[in-house]
Amino acid sequence: MHEPAIPSLTGADPEVARLVQAEARRQFEKIRLIASENYVSTAVLEATGSVLTNKYSEGYAGRRYYEGQQVIDPVEELAVARAKTLFGVDHANVQPYSGSPANLAVYLAFLNPGDTVMGMALPAGGHLTHGWSVSATGKWFRSVQYGVAKETGVVDLDQVRDLARAERPKVIFCGGTAIPRTIDFPAFAEIANEVGAVLAADIAHIAGLVAGGAHPSPVGHAQVITTTTHKTLRGPRGAMILTDAEHAKAIDKAVFPGLQGGPHNHTTAAIAVALGEASEPSFGLYAHAVVQNARALAAALLDRGFDLVSGGTDNHLILADLTGKGIGGKPAAKALDRAGIEANYNTVPFDPRKPFDPSGVRLGTAAITTRGLTEDHMPQLAEWIDRAVRAADDEQALDRIAAEVADLMAGYPMPGWA
Ligand code: DSN
């Protein structure tokens, strides 16, 4: 049963309640390896579901366009203060609705349409909003894109430097959505300084690892840091922008009134709760365990002949190229899902296949670590993944794996399910 219980919803709208219960059960029974997902605490769920959703509060604390902010102002101030302390930054804006709006605020703050932005190409591991062609950021700005070296699968900083010197971008993005290795923030900062660009570090994937000391921090290197709050940071769906003092005002103006109306105050409260949780010593242990689990899973997959981009991982994320296994990423992800193992198909660098039918799957260990799985479970996970990929057309074999998976996960509690 969903926890907190949902008796009012069940009475008022049994159809929606049934779907919520079904999703809670699904999350409980599966091994969730989608690298951008996690399980929030029951406290975060309660804050998200609170009456704060009823309130409008355009503006910032002490400077709102609506009355009745006696409670909302301290909520937002608390979230801001916790973000500043946790990450050690001068300024935090906790209002962006999610990661893409947070990144758009960087464009609005520091670029005019047609100006040059540089980011990591989507197929190399970047994000749509780092200037990829189909995104507004690639259509309305002059975007130049860097990638990874073919031999190593890791970002080619010489290429980044050469491109930056030639193209003189006003903003450089580092970070992305499918980067299994440590991001070298000091090296990016050196390049950005040389060409006079603002360095924006998008740490959406690794924010929890940074907060927990399991990945180097971009603070002191990137003037602007964007992040979602719901991946390794384990908060509600939302985002933040962290800046130094110099870039604070431009970012605040870009978020509101530049891009957004009223902030989602129930989300702001839940972000504050998650930031409080991430300040506890136990969160540092969690962040390190996420990385240990990813390393152990990568090693077990390599033992089973999987080809991993960059040869492994330094963080929570693994990108497997399934070409050698004779299956595309999409049929593999569908087979894994039927086998109770949730992942997403993903392009790999230099992928000869199309983005909607690419060669890879992306795996992450943030959610299973929250459930309590350890390095000792990773060989078993790799065995199930291998079996599922081999038996992709055999529904009975996949269902047998799903039953084994559900059996294991039944022993590991899930916040949100009782
Ligand atoms: N959808 C996010 C992810 O899965 O990484 C990025 O937008």
Side-chain angles (χ1 to χ4, degrees):
M1 295 285 283
H2 192 275
E3 172 68 29
I6 51 170
S8 304
L9 179 59
T10 305
D13 194 332
E15 205 175 348
V16 171
R18 186 179 53 74
L19 292 170
V20 172
Q21 295 288 7
E23 174 62 11
R25 175 181 287 283
R26 193 193 67 78
Q27 291 186 14
F28 179 65
E29 289 180 347
K30 282 194 170 172
I31 288 178
R32 297 175 58 233
L33 293 178
I34 291 182
S36 44
E37 294 182 354
N38 212 327
Y39 296 91
V40 298
S41 68
T42 312
V44 168
L45 279 180
E46 286 179 357
T48 308
S50 66
V51 295
L52 273 63
T53 197
N54 294 338
K55 186 72 194 116
Y56 248 114
S57 54
E58 284 182 11
Y60 292 101
R63 291 174 288 127
R64 306 279 190 187
Y65 290 80
Y66 294 75
E67 294 310 313
Q69 309 298 338
Q70 294 84 354
V71 176
I72 297 303
D73 275 4
V75 167
E76 188 169 322
E77 283 167 340
L78 190 60
V80 166
R82 287 182 180 177
K84 284 166 62 176
T85 304
L86 182 63
F87 289 95
V89 289
D90 295 333
H91 181 74
N93 186 311
V94 297
Q95 294 195 3
Y97 298 142
S98 199
S100 295
N103 285 344
L104 284 180
V106 176
Y107 287 78
L108 188 58
F110 306 116
L111 297 163
N112 289 310
D115 282 349
T116 303
V117 62
M118 191 163 116
M120 193 176 201
L122 184 67
H127 188 258
L128 281 166
T129 55
H130 297 176
W132 188 240
S133 54
V134 298
S135 151
T137 62
K139 288 181 190 291
W140 295 344
F141 299 88
R142 183 176 163 271
S143 166
V144 290
Q145 303 263 279
Y146 58 88
V148 295
K150 201 161 192 172
E151 316 76 57
T152 59
V154 300
V155 67
D156 183 343
L157 284 160
D158 290 332
Q159 188 208 355
V160 176
R161 188 177 302 102
D162 290 347
L163 208 55
R165 282 178 179 159
E167 305 290 351
R168 315 296 295 184
K170 280 175 117 175
V171 170
I172 298 177
F173 274 93
C174 60
T177 62
I179 303 173
R181 294 297 181 176
T182 301
I183 301 166
D184 189 344
F185 297 120
F188 273 102
E190 204 181 296
I191 294 166
N193 285 342
E194 186 186 324
V195 301
V198 171
L199 180 62
D202 180 342
I203 62 164
H205 266 264
I206 55 168
L209 306 185
V210 171
H215 188 290
S217 170
V219 176
H221 306 293
Q223 297 97 329
V224 179
I225 299 161
T226 63
T227 183
T228 50
T229 45
H230 47 266
K231 299 185 173 91
T232 51
L233 192 55
R234 216 162 59 178
R237 300 197 79 87
M240 305 189 293
I241 307 178
L242 315 173
T243 73
D244 60 15
E246 187 188 337
H247 296 80
K249 205 166 167 194
I251 284 293
D252 280 356
K253 264 179 71 183
V255 173
F256 177 84
L259 281 172
Q260 297 188 172
H264 294 174
N265 299 310
H266 54 303
T267 299
T268 307
I271 289 173
V273 175
L275 292 169
E277 292 172 354
S279 311
E280 297 293 326
S282 59
F283 194 84
L285 298 177
Y286 164 71
H288 284 90
V290 168
V291 175
Q292 279 156 13
N293 279 344
R295 287 208 176 118
L297 181 58
L301 289 168
L302 287 169
D303 283 347
R304 292 185 167 275
F306 280 85
D307 178 11
L308 306 185
V309 171
S310 83
T313 182
D314 296 328
N315 53 34
H316 65 300
L317 186 151
I318 296 164
L319 191 56
D321 182 345
L322 298 174
T323 310
K325 291 278 180 186
I327 185 169
K330 192 171 187 176
K334 292 206 173 301
L336 286 168
D337 192 50
R338 175 122 192 180
I341 299 166
E342 210 183 326
N344 68 280
Y345 57 88
N346 216 98
T347 51
V348 296
F350 309 100
D351 203 326
R353 299 168 68 115
K354 299 245 181 306
F356 203 58
D357 183 24
S359 300
V361 288
R362 189 184 65 158
L363 311 170
T365 53
I368 55 168
T369 308
T370 298
R371 288 292 292 275
L373 298 196
T374 67
E375 288 166 279
D376 293 342
H377 296 103
M378 298 305 128
Q380 175 64 76
L381 260 61
E383 195 258 340
W384 280 327
I385 292 169
D386 199 16
R387 252 166 74 197
V389 166
R390 286 173 196 278
D393 297 325
D394 182 345
E395 290 186 350
Q396 284 182 343
L398 297 175
D399 289 346
R400 277 197 297 277
I401 299 171
E404 291 171 35
V405 166
D407 208 35
L408 173 74
M409 297 316 285
Y412 292 87
M414 166 189 145
W417 178 261

